[in-house]
Amino acid sequence: MPRTALRICPLCEATCGLTLTIEGATVTGARGDRDDVFSRGFICPKGAAFGGIDADPDRLRSPLVRRDGRLREATWEEAYEAIAAAVPALVREYGPQSVGVVLGNPNVHTMAGQLYPPMLLKALGTRNLFTASTLDQMPKHVSSGLLFGDPFAIPVPDLDRTDFLLLLGANPVESNGSLCTAPDFPGRLKALRARGGTLVVVDPRRTRTAKLADRHLAPRPGSDALLLAALAHTLLTEELADPGALAEHTQGIGELAEALGSFTPEAVAPACDLPAEEIRDLARDLAAAPSAAVYGRIGSCTVEYGTLTSWLVDVLNILTGNLDRPGGALFPLSATDRAPRPAGPGKGFSLGRWHSRVSGHPEAKGELPLSALAEEIETPGEGRIRAVVSIAANPVLSAPDGRRLDAALAGLDFMVSIDPYLNETSRHAHVVLPPAPPSQSAHFDFSFNTFAIRNQVRYSPPAVPLEDGRMDECEIHARLVLAVSGMHGTDPAAVDELAIGAVLARECADPDSPLRGQDPARLAAQLAGDSGPERRLDLMLRVGPYGDRFGAAPDSGPGGLGLERLRAHPHGIDLGPLRPRLPGLLRTRSGRIELLPDPIAAELPRLRGTLADRPAALVLVGRRHLRSNNSWLHNVPALTGGSNRCTLQVHPDDAARLGLTDGRLARVTADGGSLEVPVEVTDTLRAGVVSLPHGWGHDRPGTRLSVAAAEPGVNVNQLLDGTRLDPLSGTAVLNGFPVELTPIP
Ligand SMILES: Nc1nc2c(c(=O)[nH]1)N[C@H]1C(S)=C(S)[C@@H](COP(=O)(O)OP(=O)(O)OC[C@H]3O[C@@H](n4cnc5c(=O)[nH]c(N)nc54)[C@H](O)[C@@H]3O)O[C@H]1N2
Ligand SMILES: Nc1nc2c(c(=O)[nH]1)N[C@H]1C(S)=C(S)[C@@H](COP(=O)(O)OP(=O)(O)OC[C@H]3O[C@@H](n4cnc5c(=O)[nH]c(N)nc54)[C@H](O)[C@@H]3O)O[C@H]1N2
Ligand code: SF4
Ligand SMILES: [Mo]
């Protein structure tokens, strides 16, 4: 008899609740959970393919260990012994910096990926941390760090209440949203228009999102910083800027007006290729809307001025008085956030506390640019990376110049991958540790709840018991922490108890905590949960803003939350709409919003310099397809084929000018190399812009991706050599870089 089980979908940031149909231990179907407090039954084709993704026969079932140059199936014990024999010895001989840690995107979609990497880094003592953030949202962390003193204080558009949404460089109808967790993002955009609101989309392509908009502006890629600077300039010079209640918590408006002095709509119009009047009108409409939110994503981040663009997004929210107010852009308060502390000056946020060894890139939020990983492995000398721990990452396809990284990884002394697939990156590992499939794993969104457009909390226990021979990903991580610390053989539960002890010690010593003065050991004994990770979740919920605080402060907030209460609500608990959180969350040294931080002010002249540049004739941007997900869903038959293809989209005018034909091959060339790819002629992008999706190029030997290898596509990131970065955040420029095209006869 089939049964059903609930599972939060881990495939994108929308975090929809799914109802899985299960026969035996196999997921045979998935539909939207209509009773889910947040997603209310929404599902997309990826969620519907959960069963196929979960049961992909190419998923590794047991660890692989390299012997005599070949990866062979091994026991868990053999795998950890190999790690314990290699890593501590390398650290002893070459120092902690000889180990690089690479964290990929799915770490934000697993409990393990949120709970253990900080402990792994601490155990290793390395500063060589590289993550997908420097291919993605690092500019936003940096701008938030500088403005608010906290790189995780990222405001999200109040989608369900706003009157006006200005959306830049995002295509949530295909991506389902990012840094804005909103199940059924498309439906919410339609609802915005249905209630009389306005949607403006800025994208060089006429995307499915742009098709829903009242107005679509298609500027030249990479020019958003100029466009937004001109919008801010217009607000400031036409006396439309009105921060309202924010004024008393904000410093630097006068300096900002001065710094943006030359960015008039007329000055930026040629670079953006938009009429100055249209820019001016947009600024006036933004200011006139009863409430409005500006929101930017990938196309506003992975560009040369990504940090300036991200900063200007919030500058506009502040100047229009829309930051931190309903209908504007608000800061979520997740159930596992630390409970709010009293307002006041904080430690602030600094960049460049250390630098990468070879090119001297400044760290940002404790990370170095992923684009710099290959040179850190290749370049001899003290501090060279000789071993890599790669967790849920496929940088050979996701990061610039995969061929170089591919070769660099092949030369490592030692590499560990935690990954379900033997793919372009994990094939270089000496040990591959495969996590159990999602149906066998518990789920909690530590990360995405902090970007959700409604405060809510949900937990999925494993839908299917752990299969024989499988290991839960939390245990895989905990054992890895022990193995690299020279403690292989210790009970992995000790890792969780260590984490619990540290949190309780901090809370019990904190004069602002309701737990101050209590006994950590006594509180630890009260934790609920059947496993270490569940106990840690219980602790975070209980000391969090909605928690029961172990009964210490029953009157502080809605309260009462803990794992037991959450488990009693399998469809989740709604915690209400987003509410204002300023000034409490500010952590700047001044205790105020610092509108024109020094690193930004220093970068503005460089942006101004681009006003005189001659734009490239042809630039490339990316795109996402609803049935794809970065590099790792091309192996699931239900999600492949149709329009989900690796083609180079070219505007008809460019195709005619260059002699390119739909369906025939063209050669694309840029800094990092050239590719041969089929052309798709379409007028959905502006002339002078071509588009190629990422995550393709599954034609390398030694992988186990039978479906993906049959239609490999090409790796767009091979066009990059890794030198184009947003300098403040170290984020790769993946959009708007110049290319040349030639037909292949
Ligand atoms: N040109 C271009 N390049 C891009 C982008 C772009 O827009 N254009 N986008 C960038 C962005 S936004 C991102 S986030 C990065 C993503 O970059 P990565 O994170 O490096 O790439 P993914 O393809 O997400 O790879 C995820 C890896 O995790 C594995 N995995 C899947 N599920 C699990 C799991 O449950 N546990 C573990 N341990 N592993 C799992 C997969 O098998 C795969 O190897 O790509 C970036 N690259
Ligand atoms: N189906 C699917 N969903 C996904 C993913 C996936 O691969 N597939 N990946 C997930 C991940 S890791 C992330 S980070 C999110 C990303 O989510 P989104 O940010 O919504 O990502 P994209 O769909 O790549 O949209 C970026 C848009 O920016 C446009 N663009 C490019 N350059 C510029 C520019 O200079 N200016 C402006 N204004 N626009 C520009 C592109 O044309 C594109 O339409 O999606 C997540 N969801
Ligand atoms: S929108 Fe995202 S979270 Fe929802 S079902 Fe689709 S992939 Fe899963
Ligand atoms: Mo991403």
Side-chain angles (χ1 to χ4, degrees):
M1 262 297 279
R3 62 180 181 97
T4 61
L6 300 175
R7 174 60 154 95
I8 301 163
C9 178
L11 299 172
C12 88
E13 300 185 31
T15 70
C16 302
L18 305 181
T19 305
L20 306 179
T21 310
I22 297 163
E23 295 179 45
T26 309
V27 178
T28 54
R31 58 180 200 277
D33 171 16
R34 244 177 269 148
D35 299 319
D36 184 283
V37 294
F38 195 25
S39 64
R40 303 271 172 215
F42 181 78
I43 189 169
C44 86
K46 283 199 296 294
F50 185 100
I53 295 166
D54 197 67
D56 184 345
D58 280 341
R59 271 182 190 265
L60 302 173
R61 311 193 126 254
S62 66
L64 303 177
V65 175
R66 189 171 297 277
R67 297 232 165 81
D68 311 320
R70 277 195 52 208
L71 278 171
R72 296 165 204 269
E73 304 210 330
T75 65
W76 290 99
E77 183 56 26
E78 288 165 338
Y80 282 105
E81 270 170 10
I83 298 167
V87 178
L90 272 169
V91 172
R92 241 177 284 125
E93 185 161 359
Y94 300 107
Q97 308 312 325
S98 65
V99 186
V101 174
V102 181
L103 303 176
N105 169 273
N107 283 302
V108 279
H109 296 276
T110 64
M111 290 179 73
Q114 293 299 290
L115 291 175
Y116 300 91
M119 305 179 83
L120 176 72
L121 286 162
K122 212 163 161 198
L124 288 167
T126 181
R127 283 176 167 176
N128 277 320
L129 170 64
F130 307 82
T131 85
S133 296
T134 52
L135 308 172
D136 188 346
Q137 83 291 358
M138 189 60 91
K140 196 73 212 174
H141 289 303
V142 171
S143 75
S144 280
L146 295 171
L147 279 165
F148 312 122
D150 177 356
F152 290 98
I154 295 179
V156 303
D158 194 3
L159 278 190
D160 293 345
R161 292 184 288 183
T162 194
D163 297 297
F164 191 107
L165 179 63
L166 172 57
L167 184 150
L168 304 111
N171 184 14
V173 174
E174 306 260 13
S175 71
N176 289 309
S178 179
L179 293 189
C180 176
T181 285
D184 194 14
F185 208 126
R188 293 176 201 265
L189 293 179
K190 287 176 198 152
L192 157 69
R193 295 205 53 209
R195 66 176 178 266
T198 304
L199 172 65
V200 180
V201 171
V202 180
D203 197 307
R205 299 187 305 122
R206 194 169 69 254
T207 58
R208 287 173 64 188
T209 306
K211 285 179 189 156
L212 292 181
D214 296 88
R215 217 181 303 166
H216 170 212
L217 309 187
R220 199 167 269 136
S223 67
D224 299 60
L226 294 171
L227 168 65
L228 297 186
L231 293 177
H233 178 275
T234 306
L235 296 176
L236 289 161
T237 52
E238 296 193 0
E239 291 180 16
L240 296 171
D242 180 11
L246 294 171
E248 64 169 306
H249 306 303
T250 306
Q251 67 175 43
I253 295 200
E255 292 85 342
L256 176 76
E258 204 167 304
L260 294 179
S262 46
F263 295 99
T264 64
E266 288 70 22
V268 307
C272 299
D273 196 20
L274 293 173
E277 216 33 51
E278 200 165 344
I279 300 173
R280 230 174 260 288
D281 286 347
L282 180 56
R284 291 170 184 159
D285 292 348
L286 184 66
S291 69
V294 185
Y295 161 74
R297 224 25 294 278
I298 283 294
S300 72
C301 282
T302 54
V303 289
E304 190 177 349
Y305 294 95
T307 300
L308 285 190
T309 311
S310 296
W311 164 73
L312 282 160
V313 163
D314 285 330
V315 164
L316 289 170
N317 285 324
I318 293 163
L319 292 180
T320 53
N322 280 303
L323 185 77
D324 201 42
R325 84 166 176 204
L330 289 143
F331 299 94
L333 182 61
S334 137
T336 50
D337 277 336
R338 281 196 79 184
R341 293 292 188 273
K347 282 200 198 125
F349 174 79
S350 318
L351 288 165
R353 293 165 298 168
W354 58 87
H355 291 78
S356 72
R357 180 179 63 102
V358 180
S359 290
H361 295 296
E363 64 75 37
K365 197 169 82 50
E367 298 185 20
L368 297 170
L370 195 45
S371 301
L373 175 59
E375 66 183 21
E376 292 295 331
I377 298 173
E378 284 167 356
T379 313
E382 200 176 315
R384 170 184 186 175
I385 294 178
R386 294 165 182 272
V388 161
V389 178
S390 170
I391 306 178
N394 194 5
V396 169
L397 295 189
S398 303
D401 200 354
R403 209 175 294 142
R404 181 175 176 193
L405 187 57
D406 208 24
L409 294 177
L412 286 168
D413 292 359
F414 195 74
M415 176 170 165
V416 184
S417 270
I418 303 184
D419 206 288
Y421 287 106
L422 189 60
N423 65 16
E424 297 77 11
T425 298
S426 61
R427 73 192 179 110
H428 293 297
H430 295 74
V431 176
V432 184
L433 304 169
S439 64
Q440 298 174 30
S441 316
H443 191 83
F444 185 89
D445 281 300
F446 291 106
S447 179
F448 298 121
N449 288 347
T450 70
F451 304 121
I453 60 155
R454 204 171 160 92
N455 292 320
Q456 43 69 45
V457 57
R458 294 165 298 153
Y459 174 64
S460 311
V464 172
L466 205 58
E467 196 184 352
D468 260 1
R470 290 281 193 190
M471 194 179 281
D472 183 80
E473 188 162 3
C474 287
E475 186 177 337
I476 293 176
H477 280 242
R479 288 186 184 274
L480 179 63
V481 171
L482 292 169
V484 303
S485 317
M487 291 167 71
H488 173 56
T490 306
D491 180 358
V495 175
D496 297 307
E497 294 314 312
L498 200 69
I500 288 168
V503 173
L504 283 172
R506 181 192 73 196
E507 290 291 327
C508 295
D510 180 350
D512 294 324
S513 168
L515 302 185
R516 69 186 164 275
Q518 297 210 39
D519 172 18
R522 199 182 58 83
L523 296 177
Q526 293 175 39
L527 290 172
D530 300 329
S531 63
E534 279 198 347
R535 284 165 55 77
R536 291 175 69 181
L537 173 58
D538 187 43
L539 173 60
M540 290 163 85
L541 293 169
R542 294 175 82 171
V543 302
Y546 312 91
D548 73 358
R549 323 267 164 93
F550 296 88
D555 301 329
S556 55
L561 198 61
L563 182 65
E564 285 184 345
R565 175 128 176 259
L566 190 52
R567 278 204 288 214
H569 293 81
H571 305 282
I573 299 174
D574 182 51
L575 299 168
L578 304 189
R579 282 177 281 268
R581 292 191 57 198
L582 289 176
L585 65 61
L586 297 175
R587 290 290 173 269
T588 50
R589 282 173 195 269
S590 61
R592 307 172 84 194
I593 299 174
E594 297 180 357
L595 206 50
L596 184 65
D598 292 340
I600 298 274
E603 181 74 336
L604 280 170
R606 210 170 66 86
L607 177 65
R608 193 175 299 119
T610 65
L611 289 170
D613 286 354
R614 220 172 110 207
L618 207 57
V619 297
L620 187 142
V621 300
R623 68 176 188 271
R624 282 175 160 76
H625 191 284
L626 184 56
R627 283 184 291 113
S628 210
N629 191 21
N630 299 329
S631 76
W632 69 279
L633 285 189
H634 296 141
N635 206 54
V636 179
L639 297 175
T640 54
S643 55
N644 185 9
R645 289 181 56 227
C646 185
T647 59
L648 183 76
Q649 296 186 334
V650 183
H651 187 273
D653 293 354
D654 293 319
R657 180 169 58 88
L658 298 164
L660 302 171
T661 315
D662 189 83
R664 303 279 286 275
L665 289 177
R667 176 170 290 112
V668 205
T669 307
D671 307 340
S674 55
L675 299 170
E676 292 183 8
V677 57
V679 168
E680 177 187 344
V681 176
T682 166
D683 68 359
T684 55
L685 27 73
R686 53 168 283 152
V689 177
V690 296
S691 172
L692 191 59
H694 71 285
W696 295 85
H698 305 291
D699 50 2
R700 288 181 167 78
T703 63
R704 202 178 296 170
L705 299 164
S706 48
V707 177
E711 208 184 315
V714 297
N715 177 9
V716 62
N717 290 325
Q718 200 49 57
L719 296 172
L720 294 162
D721 64 6
T723 56
R724 288 177 190 269
L725 298 178
D726 165 38
L728 287 179
S729 69
T731 303
V733 175
L734 303 170
N735 278 290
F737 59 87
V739 294
E740 283 172 17
L741 283 191
T742 46
I744 294 179

